[in-house]
Amino acid sequence: MTQRRSVFCLPTREDDMSMTTGIPGSELTDELLLRELHHLHQTRNETFLHGSADALREHTARTFELEQEYLRRYPDREVDPRRTRSGARGEPQHA
């Protein structure tokens, strides 16, 4: 029986991001960060379905890096209550 290896992995330490291509997220302007995130989200499905293991790993690492940078910059961003566990279940929301 052949053992299968997983190709999906997230970096576990900040220095693991060093293999990622592109300008580091911390150096992007807010406008460029949002544009890069938009592009990554647009291309995710195509990369997942048809990209090589290396392409998927790179795409995942870059997306993770930029999403973490966005959350660092905007820790108090507005969260739609319908996008939470209780909101998705239709439970009453408390203000």
Coordinates of all heavy atoms in Angstrom, one line a residue:
M1 N 0.8 -1.2 0.0 CA 0.0 0.0 0.0 C 0.9 1.2 0.0 O 1.8 1.3 0.8 CB -0.9 0.0 1.2 CG -1.8 1.2 1.3 SD -2.8 1.3 2.8 CE -4.2 0.4 2.3
T2 N 0.6 2.2 -0.9 CA 1.3 3.4 -1.0 C 0.8 4.4 0.1 O -0.4 4.6 0.2 CB 1.2 4.1 -2.4 OG1 1.6 3.1 -3.3 CG2 2.0 5.3 -2.5
Q3 N 1.8 5.0 0.8 CA 1.4 6.0 1.8 C 1.2 7.4 1.1 O 2.1 7.8 0.3 CB 2.4 6.1 2.9 CG 2.0 7.0 4.0 CD 3.1 7.0 5.1 OE1 4.2 6.6 4.9 NE2 2.7 7.4 6.3
R4 N 0.1 8.1 1.4 CA -0.1 9.4 0.8 C 0.4 10.5 1.7 O 0.2 10.4 2.9 CB -1.6 9.6 0.5 CG -2.1 8.5 -0.5 CD -3.6 8.7 -0.7 NE -3.7 9.8 -1.7 CZ -4.8 10.3 -2.1 NH1 -5.9 9.9 -1.6 NH2 -4.8 11.2 -3.0
R5 N 1.0 11.4 1.1 CA 1.5 12.6 1.9 C 0.6 13.8 1.6 O 0.2 14.0 0.5 CB 2.9 13.0 1.4 CG 4.0 12.0 1.8 CD 5.3 12.3 1.4 NE 5.5 13.8 1.2 CZ 6.5 14.4 0.7 NH1 7.5 13.7 0.3 NH2 6.6 15.7 0.5
S6 N 0.4 14.5 2.6 CA -0.4 15.7 2.5 C 0.4 16.9 1.9 O 1.6 17.0 2.3 CB -1.0 16.2 3.9 OG -1.6 17.4 3.8
V7 N -0.1 17.6 1.0 CA 0.6 18.7 0.4 C 0.1 20.0 1.0 O 0.6 21.1 0.8 CB 0.5 18.8 -1.1 CG1 1.1 17.6 -1.7 CG2 -1.0 19.0 -1.5
F8 N -1.0 20.0 1.8 CA -1.5 21.2 2.5 C -0.8 21.4 3.8 O -0.9 20.6 4.7 CB -3.0 21.1 2.7 CG -3.6 22.3 3.3 CD1 -3.9 23.4 2.5 CD2 -3.9 22.3 4.7 CE1 -4.5 24.5 3.1 CE2 -4.4 23.4 5.3 CZ -4.8 24.5 4.5
C9 N -0.2 22.5 3.9 CA 0.4 22.8 5.2 C 0.5 24.3 5.4 O 0.8 25.1 4.4 CB 1.8 22.2 5.4 SG 3.0 22.7 4.1
L10 N 0.2 24.8 6.6 CA 0.4 26.2 6.9 C 1.7 26.4 7.7 O 2.1 25.5 8.4 CB -0.8 26.7 7.8 CG -2.1 26.8 7.1 CD1 -3.2 27.1 8.1 CD2 -2.1 27.8 6.0
P11 N 2.3 27.6 7.5 CA 3.5 27.8 8.3 C 3.2 27.8 9.8 O 2.1 28.2 10.2 CB 3.9 29.2 7.9 CG 3.0 29.6 6.8 CD 1.9 28.6 6.7
T12 N 4.1 27.3 10.5 CA 3.9 27.2 12.0 C 4.7 28.3 12.7 O 4.4 28.6 13.9 CB 4.3 25.8 12.5 OG1 5.7 25.6 12.1 CG2 3.4 24.7 12.0
R13 N 5.7 28.9 12.0 CA 6.4 29.9 12.6 C 6.6 31.1 11.6 O 6.5 30.8 10.4 CB 7.8 29.5 13.0 CG 7.9 28.4 14.0 CD 9.3 28.1 14.5 NE 10.3 28.3 13.5 CZ 11.0 27.4 12.8 NH1 10.7 26.2 13.0 NH2 11.9 27.8 11.9
E14 N 6.7 32.3 12.1 CA 6.8 33.4 11.2 C 7.9 33.3 10.2 O 7.8 33.6 9.0 CB 7.0 34.7 12.0 CG 6.8 35.9 11.2 CD 6.7 37.2 12.1 OE1 6.3 37.1 13.2 OE2 7.2 38.2 11.6
D15 N 9.1 32.7 10.5 CA 10.2 32.6 9.6 C 9.9 31.6 8.5 O 10.6 31.5 7.5 CB 11.5 32.3 10.3 CG 11.5 31.0 11.1 OD1 10.4 30.4 11.3 OD2 12.6 30.6 11.5
D16 N 8.9 30.7 8.7 CA 8.5 29.8 7.6 C 7.9 30.5 6.4 O 7.8 29.9 5.3 CB 7.5 28.8 8.1 CG 8.1 27.8 9.1 OD1 9.3 27.6 9.1 OD2 7.3 27.2 9.9
M17 N 7.5 31.7 6.6 CA 7.0 32.5 5.5 C 8.1 33.0 4.5 O 7.8 33.5 3.4 CB 6.2 33.7 6.0 CG 5.0 33.4 6.8 SD 3.8 32.3 6.0 CE 3.3 33.4 4.7
S18 N 9.3 32.8 4.8 CA 10.4 33.3 4.0 C 10.4 32.7 2.6 O 11.0 33.3 1.7 CB 11.7 33.0 4.7 OG 11.9 31.6 4.8
M19 N 9.8 31.6 2.4 CA 9.8 31.0 1.0 C 8.7 31.6 0.1 O 8.7 31.4 -1.0 CB 9.5 29.5 1.2 CG 10.6 28.7 1.9 SD 12.1 28.6 1.0 CE 11.6 27.5 -0.3
T20 N 7.8 32.4 0.7 CA 6.7 33.0 0.0 C 7.2 34.1 -0.9 O 8.1 34.9 -0.5 CB 5.7 33.6 0.9 OG1 5.2 32.6 1.8 CG2 4.5 34.2 0.2
T21 N 6.7 34.2 -2.2 CA 7.1 35.2 -3.1 C 6.3 36.4 -2.9 O 5.2 36.4 -2.3 CB 7.0 34.7 -4.5 OG1 5.6 34.3 -4.8 CG2 7.9 33.5 -4.8
G22 N 6.7 37.5 -3.4 CA 6.0 38.8 -3.3 C 6.5 39.7 -2.2 O 7.4 39.3 -1.4
I23 N 6.1 40.9 -2.2 CA 6.5 41.9 -1.2 C 5.9 41.4 0.1 O 4.7 41.0 0.2 CB 5.9 43.3 -1.6 CG1 6.5 43.7 -2.9 CG2 6.2 44.3 -0.5 CD1 5.9 44.9 -3.5
P24 N 6.6 41.5 1.2 CA 6.1 41.1 2.5 C 4.8 41.9 2.8 O 4.7 43.1 2.5 CB 7.2 41.4 3.5 CG 8.4 41.3 2.6 CD 8.0 41.8 1.3
G25 N 3.8 41.2 3.3 CA 2.5 41.9 3.6 C 2.7 43.2 4.5 O 2.0 44.1 4.3
S26 N 3.6 43.1 5.4 CA 3.9 44.3 6.3 C 4.4 45.5 5.5 O 4.3 46.6 6.1 CB 4.8 43.9 7.4 OG 6.1 43.5 6.8
E27 N 4.9 45.3 4.3 CA 5.4 46.4 3.5 C 4.4 46.9 2.5 O 4.7 47.9 1.9 CB 6.7 46.0 2.8 CG 7.8 45.7 3.8 CD 9.1 45.2 3.1 OE1 9.2 45.5 1.9 OE2 9.9 44.6 3.8
L28 N 3.3 46.3 2.4 CA 2.2 46.7 1.4 C 1.4 47.9 2.0 O 1.1 47.9 3.2 CB 1.3 45.6 1.1 CG 1.9 44.4 0.3 CD1 0.9 43.3 0.2 CD2 2.3 44.8 -1.1
T29 N 1.0 48.8 1.2 CA 0.1 49.8 1.6 C -1.3 49.2 1.8 O -1.5 48.0 1.4 CB -0.1 50.9 0.5 OG1 -0.7 50.3 -0.6 CG2 1.2 51.6 0.2
D30 N -2.2 49.8 2.5 CA -3.5 49.3 2.7 C -4.2 48.9 1.4 O -4.8 47.9 1.2 CB -4.4 50.2 3.5 CG -4.0 50.3 5.0 OD1 -3.1 49.5 5.4 OD2 -4.5 51.2 5.7
E31 N -4.1 49.8 0.4 CA -4.7 49.6 -0.9 C -4.1 48.4 -1.6 O -4.9 47.6 -2.1 CB -4.5 50.9 -1.7 CG -5.1 50.7 -3.1 CD -4.9 52.0 -4.0 OE1 -4.4 53.0 -3.5 OE2 -5.2 51.9 -5.2
L32 N -2.8 48.2 -1.6 CA -2.2 47.1 -2.2 C -2.5 45.8 -1.5 O -2.7 44.7 -2.1 CB -0.7 47.3 -2.3 CG -0.2 48.3 -3.4 CD1 1.3 48.5 -3.3 CD2 -0.6 47.8 -4.7
L33 N -2.5 45.8 -0.1 CA -2.9 44.7 0.6 C -4.3 44.2 0.3 O -4.5 43.0 0.0 CB -2.8 45.0 2.1 CG -3.2 43.8 3.1 CD1 -2.3 42.6 2.9 CD2 -3.3 44.3 4.5
L34 N -5.2 45.1 0.2 CA -6.6 44.7 -0.2 C -6.7 44.2 -1.6 O -7.4 43.2 -1.9 CB -7.6 45.9 0.0 CG -7.8 46.3 1.5 CD1 -8.6 47.6 1.5 CD2 -8.6 45.1 2.2
R35 N -5.9 44.8 -2.5 CA -5.9 44.3 -3.9 C -5.3 42.9 -4.0 O -5.8 42.1 -4.7 CB -5.1 45.3 -4.8 CG -5.2 45.0 -6.3 CD -4.7 46.1 -7.1 NE -3.2 45.9 -7.1 CZ -2.4 46.8 -7.6 NH1 -2.8 47.9 -8.2 NH2 -1.1 46.6 -7.5
E36 N -4.2 42.7 -3.3 CA -3.6 41.4 -3.3 C -4.5 40.3 -2.7 O -4.6 39.2 -3.3 CB -2.3 41.4 -2.5 CG -1.2 42.1 -3.2 CD -0.7 41.4 -4.5 OE1 -0.5 40.2 -4.4 OE2 -0.5 42.1 -5.5
L37 N -5.2 40.6 -1.6 CA -6.1 39.7 -1.0 C -7.2 39.4 -1.9 O -7.7 38.2 -2.1 CB -6.6 40.2 0.3 CG -5.7 40.1 1.5 CD1 -6.2 40.9 2.7 CD2 -5.5 38.6 1.9
H38 N -7.8 40.4 -2.6 CA -8.9 40.2 -3.5 C -8.4 39.2 -4.7 O -9.1 38.3 -5.0 CB -9.3 41.5 -4.1 CG -10.4 41.4 -5.1 ND1 -11.7 41.1 -4.7 CD2 -10.4 41.5 -6.4 CE1 -12.5 41.1 -5.8 NE2 -11.7 41.3 -6.8
H39 N -7.2 39.5 -5.2 CA -6.7 38.6 -6.3 C -6.5 37.2 -5.8 O -6.9 36.2 -6.5 CB -5.4 39.2 -6.8 CG -4.8 38.3 -7.9 ND1 -5.3 38.2 -9.1 CD2 -3.7 37.5 -7.8 CE1 -4.6 37.4 -9.8 NE2 -3.6 36.9 -9.1
L40 N -6.0 37.0 -4.6 CA -5.8 35.7 -4.1 C -7.1 34.9 -3.9 O -7.2 33.7 -4.2 CB -5.0 35.7 -2.7 CG -3.5 36.0 -2.9 CD1 -2.9 36.4 -1.5 CD2 -2.8 34.8 -3.5
H41 N -8.1 35.6 -3.4 CA -9.4 35.0 -3.2 C -10.0 34.6 -4.5 O -10.7 33.6 -4.6 CB -10.3 35.9 -2.3 CG -9.8 35.9 -0.9 ND1 -9.9 37.1 -0.2 CD2 -9.2 35.0 -0.1 CE1 -9.4 36.9 1.1 NE2 -9.0 35.6 1.1
Q42 N -9.8 35.5 -5.5 CA -10.4 35.2 -6.9 C -9.7 34.0 -7.5 O -10.4 33.2 -8.2 CB -10.2 36.4 -7.8 CG -11.1 37.5 -7.6 CD -10.9 38.6 -8.7 OE1 -9.8 38.9 -9.0 NE2 -12.0 39.1 -9.2
T43 N -8.5 33.7 -7.2 CA -7.7 32.7 -7.9 C -7.6 31.4 -7.1 O -7.1 30.4 -7.6 CB -6.3 33.1 -8.3 OG1 -5.6 33.5 -7.1 CG2 -6.3 34.3 -9.2
R44 N -8.2 31.4 -5.9 CA -8.1 30.2 -5.0 C -8.6 28.9 -5.6 O -8.0 27.9 -5.6 CB -8.7 30.5 -3.6 CG -8.6 29.3 -2.7 CD -7.2 29.0 -2.4 NE -7.1 27.9 -1.5 CZ -5.9 27.4 -1.0 NH1 -4.8 28.0 -1.4 NH2 -5.9 26.4 -0.3
N45 N -9.8 28.9 -6.1 CA -10.5 27.7 -6.6 C -9.7 27.1 -7.8 O -9.5 25.9 -7.8 CB -11.9 28.0 -7.0 CG -12.7 26.7 -7.2 OD1 -12.7 25.8 -6.3 ND2 -13.3 26.6 -8.3
E46 N -9.3 28.0 -8.7 CA -8.5 27.5 -9.8 C -7.2 26.9 -9.4 O -6.8 25.8 -9.9 CB -8.2 28.7 -10.8 CG -7.6 28.2 -12.1 CD -8.6 27.5 -13.0 OE1 -9.8 27.6 -12.8 OE2 -8.1 26.8 -13.9
T47 N -6.5 27.5 -8.4 CA -5.3 27.0 -7.9 C -5.5 25.6 -7.2 O -4.7 24.7 -7.4 CB -4.6 28.0 -7.0 OG1 -4.4 29.2 -7.6 CG2 -3.3 27.4 -6.5
F48 N -6.6 25.6 -6.4 CA -6.9 24.3 -5.7 C -7.2 23.2 -6.7 O -6.7 22.1 -6.5 CB -8.1 24.6 -4.8 CG -8.5 23.3 -4.0 CD1 -7.7 22.8 -3.0 CD2 -9.7 22.7 -4.4 CE1 -8.1 21.7 -2.3 CE2 -10.1 21.6 -3.7 CZ -9.3 21.0 -2.7
L49 N -8.0 23.5 -7.7 CA -8.4 22.4 -8.6 C -7.3 22.0 -9.6 O -7.2 20.8 -10.0 CB -9.7 22.8 -9.3 CG -10.9 23.0 -8.5 CD1 -12.1 23.5 -9.4 CD2 -11.3 21.6 -7.9
H50 N -6.5 23.0 -10.0 CA -5.6 22.7 -11.2 C -4.2 23.0 -11.0 O -3.4 22.8 -11.9 CB -6.1 23.4 -12.4 CG -7.6 23.1 -12.7 ND1 -8.0 21.9 -13.2 CD2 -8.7 23.9 -12.6 CE1 -9.3 21.9 -13.4 NE2 -9.7 23.1 -13.0
G51 N -3.8 23.6 -9.8 CA -2.4 23.9 -9.6 C -1.6 22.8 -9.1 O -2.1 21.8 -8.6
S52 N -0.3 22.9 -9.3 CA 0.6 21.8 -8.7 C 0.6 21.9 -7.2 O 0.1 22.9 -6.6 CB 2.0 22.1 -9.3 OG 2.5 23.3 -8.8
A53 N 1.2 20.9 -6.6 CA 1.4 20.9 -5.1 C 2.1 22.2 -4.7 O 1.8 22.8 -3.7 CB 2.0 19.7 -4.7
D54 N 3.2 22.5 -5.4 CA 4.0 23.7 -5.1 C 3.1 25.0 -5.2 O 3.2 25.9 -4.4 CB 5.2 23.8 -5.9 CG 6.3 22.8 -5.6 OD1 6.2 22.3 -4.4 OD2 7.2 22.6 -6.4
A55 N 2.3 25.1 -6.3 CA 1.5 26.3 -6.5 C 0.5 26.4 -5.4 O 0.2 27.5 -4.9 CB 0.8 26.2 -7.9
L56 N -0.1 25.3 -5.0 CA -1.1 25.3 -3.9 C -0.5 25.7 -2.6 O -1.0 26.5 -1.8 CB -1.8 24.0 -3.8 CG -2.9 23.9 -2.8 CD1 -4.0 24.9 -3.0 CD2 -3.5 22.5 -2.7
R57 N 0.7 25.1 -2.3 CA 1.4 25.4 -1.1 C 1.7 26.9 -1.0 O 1.6 27.6 0.0 CB 2.6 24.6 -1.0 CG 3.3 24.6 0.4 CD 4.4 23.6 0.5 NE 5.0 23.1 -0.7 CZ 4.8 21.9 -1.2 NH1 3.9 21.1 -0.7 NH2 5.4 21.5 -2.3
E58 N 2.2 27.4 -2.1 CA 2.6 28.9 -2.2 C 1.4 29.8 -2.1 O 1.4 30.8 -1.4 CB 3.3 29.1 -3.6 CG 3.8 30.5 -3.7 CD 5.1 30.8 -2.9 OE1 5.7 29.8 -2.4 OE2 5.4 32.0 -2.7
H59 N 0.3 29.4 -2.8 CA -0.9 30.2 -2.7 C -1.5 30.2 -1.3 O -1.9 31.3 -0.8 CB -2.0 29.6 -3.7 CG -3.1 30.5 -4.0 ND1 -4.2 30.7 -3.2 CD2 -3.3 31.3 -5.1 CE1 -5.0 31.5 -3.7 NE2 -4.5 31.9 -4.9
T60 N -1.4 29.1 -0.6 CA -1.9 29.0 0.7 C -1.1 29.8 1.7 O -1.6 30.5 2.5 CB -1.9 27.5 1.2 OG1 -2.8 26.8 0.3 CG2 -2.4 27.3 2.6
A61 N 0.2 29.7 1.5 CA 1.1 30.5 2.4 C 1.0 32.0 2.2 O 0.9 32.7 3.2 CB 2.6 30.1 2.2
R62 N 0.9 32.4 1.0 CA 0.7 33.8 0.7 C -0.6 34.4 1.2 O -0.7 35.4 1.8 CB 0.8 34.1 -0.8 CG 0.7 35.6 -1.2 CD 1.9 36.4 -0.7 NE 1.9 37.7 -1.3 CZ 2.6 38.7 -0.9 NH1 3.5 38.6 0.1 NH2 2.5 39.9 -1.4
T63 N -1.7 33.6 1.0 CA -3.0 34.0 1.5 C -3.0 34.1 3.0 O -3.5 35.1 3.6 CB -4.1 33.0 1.0 OG1 -4.1 32.9 -0.4 CG2 -5.5 33.4 1.5
F64 N -2.4 33.1 3.7 CA -2.3 33.1 5.1 C -1.5 34.4 5.6 O -1.9 35.1 6.5 CB -1.6 31.8 5.6 CG -1.5 31.8 7.1 CD1 -2.6 31.4 7.9 CD2 -0.3 32.0 7.7 CE1 -2.5 31.4 9.3 CE2 -0.2 31.9 9.1 CZ -1.3 31.6 9.9
E65 N -0.4 34.6 5.0 CA 0.4 35.8 5.3 C -0.4 37.1 5.2 O -0.4 37.9 6.2 CB 1.7 35.9 4.5 CG 2.5 37.1 4.7 CD 3.5 37.5 3.7 OE1 3.5 36.8 2.6 OE2 4.3 38.4 3.9
L66 N -1.0 37.3 4.1 CA -1.7 38.6 3.9 C -3.0 38.7 4.7 O -3.3 39.8 5.2 CB -2.0 38.7 2.4 CG -0.8 38.9 1.5 CD1 -1.2 39.2 0.1 CD2 0.2 39.9 2.0
E67 N -3.7 37.6 5.0 CA -4.8 37.6 5.9 C -4.4 37.9 7.3 O -5.1 38.7 8.0 CB -5.6 36.3 5.8 CG -6.4 36.1 4.5 CD -7.1 34.8 4.4 OE1 -6.8 33.9 5.2 OE2 -8.0 34.7 3.5
Q68 N -3.3 37.4 7.7 CA -2.8 37.7 9.1 C -2.4 39.2 9.2 O -2.7 39.8 10.2 CB -1.6 36.8 9.4 CG -2.0 35.3 9.6 CD -3.1 35.2 10.7 OE1 -2.9 35.6 11.8 NE2 -4.2 34.6 10.3
E69 N -1.8 39.7 8.1 CA -1.4 41.1 8.1 C -2.7 42.0 8.2 O -2.7 43.0 8.9 CB -0.6 41.5 6.9 CG -0.2 42.9 6.8 CD 0.6 43.4 7.9 OE1 1.3 42.6 8.6 OE2 0.6 44.7 8.2
Y70 N -3.7 41.6 7.4 CA -5.0 42.4 7.4 C -5.6 42.4 8.8 O -6.0 43.4 9.4 CB -6.0 41.8 6.4 CG -7.3 42.5 6.4 CD1 -7.4 43.7 5.6 CD2 -8.3 42.1 7.2 CE1 -8.6 44.4 5.6 CE2 -9.5 42.9 7.2 CZ -9.7 44.0 6.4 OH -10.8 44.7 6.4
L71 N -5.6 41.2 9.5 CA -6.2 41.1 10.8 C -5.3 41.9 11.8 O -5.9 42.5 12.8 CB -6.3 39.6 11.2 CG -7.3 38.8 10.5 CD1 -7.2 37.4 10.9 CD2 -8.7 39.4 10.7
R72 N -4.0 41.9 11.6 CA -3.2 42.7 12.5 C -3.5 44.2 12.4 O -3.6 44.9 13.4 CB -1.7 42.5 12.1 CG -0.7 43.2 13.1 CD 0.7 43.1 12.6 NE 0.9 43.9 11.4 CZ 1.0 45.3 11.4 NH1 0.9 46.0 12.5 NH2 1.2 45.9 10.3
R73 N -3.7 44.7 11.2 CA -4.0 46.1 10.9 C -5.4 46.5 11.4 O -5.7 47.6 11.7 CB -3.9 46.4 9.4 CG -2.4 46.4 9.0 CD -2.4 46.8 7.5 NE -1.1 46.5 6.9 CZ -0.7 46.9 5.7 NH1 -1.5 47.6 5.0 NH2 0.5 46.5 5.3
Y74 N -6.3 45.5 11.2 CA -7.8 45.8 11.5 C -8.3 44.9 12.5 O -9.3 44.1 12.2 CB -8.6 45.8 10.2 CG -8.1 46.7 9.2 CD1 -7.3 46.2 8.1 CD2 -8.3 48.1 9.2 CE1 -6.8 47.1 7.1 CE2 -7.9 48.9 8.2 CZ -7.1 48.4 7.2 OH -6.7 49.3 6.2
P75 N -7.8 44.9 13.8 CA -8.3 43.9 14.8 C -9.8 44.2 15.2 O -10.5 43.2 15.6 CB -7.4 44.1 15.9 CG -6.9 45.5 15.8 CD -6.8 45.7 14.3
D76 N -10.2 45.4 15.0 CA -11.6 45.7 15.4 C -12.5 45.9 14.1 O -13.5 46.6 14.2 CB -11.6 47.0 16.2 CG -10.8 46.9 17.5 OD1 -10.9 45.8 18.1 OD2 -10.2 47.8 17.9
R77 N -12.2 45.1 13.1 CA -13.0 45.2 11.9 C -14.4 44.8 12.2 O -14.7 44.1 13.1 CB -12.4 44.4 10.8 CG -12.6 42.9 11.0 CD -11.8 42.0 10.1 NE -12.2 40.7 10.1 CZ -12.1 39.8 11.1 NH1 -11.6 40.2 12.2 NH2 -12.5 38.6 11.0
E78 N -15.4 45.3 11.4 CA -16.8 45.0 11.6 C -17.0 43.5 11.2 O -16.6 43.1 10.1 CB -17.7 45.9 10.8 CG -19.1 45.7 11.0 CD -20.0 46.6 10.1 OE1 -19.5 47.7 9.7 OE2 -21.2 46.2 9.9
V79 N -17.6 42.8 12.1 CA -18.0 41.4 11.8 C -19.5 41.3 11.6 O -20.2 41.6 12.5 CB -17.4 40.5 12.9 CG1 -17.8 39.0 12.7 CG2 -15.9 40.6 13.0
D80 N -19.9 40.8 10.5 CA -21.3 40.5 10.2 C -21.8 39.4 11.2 O -21.3 38.3 11.1 CB -21.5 40.1 8.8 CG -23.0 39.9 8.4 OD1 -23.8 39.8 9.3 OD2 -23.2 40.0 7.2
P81 N -22.8 39.7 12.0 CA -23.3 38.7 13.0 C -23.7 37.4 12.3 O -23.7 36.3 12.9 CB -24.4 39.3 13.7 CG -24.4 40.7 13.3 CD -23.5 40.9 12.2
R82 N -24.2 37.5 11.0 CA -24.6 36.3 10.3 C -23.4 35.4 9.9 O -23.6 34.3 9.5 CB -25.4 36.7 9.0 CG -26.7 37.5 9.4 CD -27.3 38.0 8.2 NE -26.4 39.1 7.7 CZ -26.6 39.8 6.6 NH1 -27.7 39.6 5.9 NH2 -25.7 40.7 6.2
R83 N -22.2 35.9 10.0 CA -21.0 35.2 9.7 C -20.4 34.5 10.9 O -19.2 34.1 10.9 CB -20.0 36.1 9.0 CG -20.5 36.7 7.7 CD -20.9 35.8 6.7 NE -19.8 35.0 6.2 CZ -19.8 34.1 5.3 NH1 -21.0 33.7 4.7 NH2 -18.8 33.4 5.0
T84 N -21.1 34.5 12.0 CA -20.6 33.8 13.2 C -21.4 32.5 13.4 O -22.4 32.3 12.7 CB -20.9 34.7 14.5 OG1 -22.3 34.9 14.6 CG2 -20.2 36.1 14.3
R85 N -20.9 31.7 14.2 CA -21.6 30.4 14.4 C -23.0 30.6 14.9 O -23.9 29.9 14.3 CB -20.8 29.5 15.5 CG -19.5 29.0 14.9 CD -18.9 28.1 16.0 NE -17.6 27.6 15.5 CZ -17.5 26.4 15.0 NH1 -18.5 25.6 15.0 NH2 -16.3 26.0 14.6
S86 N -23.3 31.4 15.8 CA -24.6 31.6 16.3 C -25.5 32.3 15.2 O -26.6 31.9 15.1 CB -24.7 32.4 17.6 OG -24.1 33.7 17.4
G87 N -24.9 33.2 14.5 CA -25.7 33.9 13.5 C -26.0 32.9 12.3 O -27.1 33.0 11.7
A88 N -25.1 32.1 12.0 CA -25.3 31.1 10.9 C -26.4 30.1 11.2 O -27.1 29.5 10.4 CB -24.0 30.4 10.5
R89 N -26.6 29.9 12.5 CA -27.6 28.9 13.0 C -29.0 29.6 13.2 O -29.9 29.0 13.6 CB -27.2 28.3 14.3 CG -26.0 27.4 14.1 CD -25.6 26.7 15.5 NE -24.5 25.9 15.3 CZ -23.3 26.1 15.9 NH1 -23.2 27.0 16.8 NH2 -22.3 25.3 15.7
G90 N -29.0 30.9 12.9 CA -30.3 31.6 13.1 C -30.7 31.9 14.5 O -31.8 32.3 14.8
E91 N -29.7 31.8 15.4 CA -30.0 32.1 16.8 C -30.1 33.7 17.0 O -29.5 34.4 16.2 CB -28.8 31.6 17.7 CG -28.7 30.1 17.7 CD -27.5 29.6 18.4 OE1 -26.9 30.3 19.2 OE2 -27.2 28.4 18.2
P92 N -30.9 34.1 17.9 CA -31.0 35.6 18.1 C -29.7 36.2 18.4 O -28.9 35.7 19.1 CB -32.0 35.7 19.3 CG -32.3 34.3 19.7 CD -31.6 33.3 18.9
Q93 N -29.5 37.4 17.9 CA -28.3 38.2 18.1 C -28.5 39.2 19.2 O -29.5 39.9 19.3 CB -27.9 39.0 16.8 CG -27.6 38.0 15.6 CD -26.5 37.1 15.9 OE1 -25.4 37.5 16.3 NE2 -26.7 35.8 15.7
H94 N -27.5 39.3 20.1 CA -27.6 40.3 21.2 C -26.6 41.4 20.9 O -25.5 41.2 20.6 CB -27.2 39.6 22.5 CG -28.1 38.5 22.9 ND1 -29.4 38.6 23.2 CD2 -27.9 37.2 22.8 CE1 -30.0 37.5 23.5 NE2 -29.1 36.5 23.2
A95 N -27.1 42.7 21.0 CA -26.3 43.8 20.7 C -25.4 44.2 21.8 O -25.5 43.9 22.9 CB -27.1 45.0 20.3

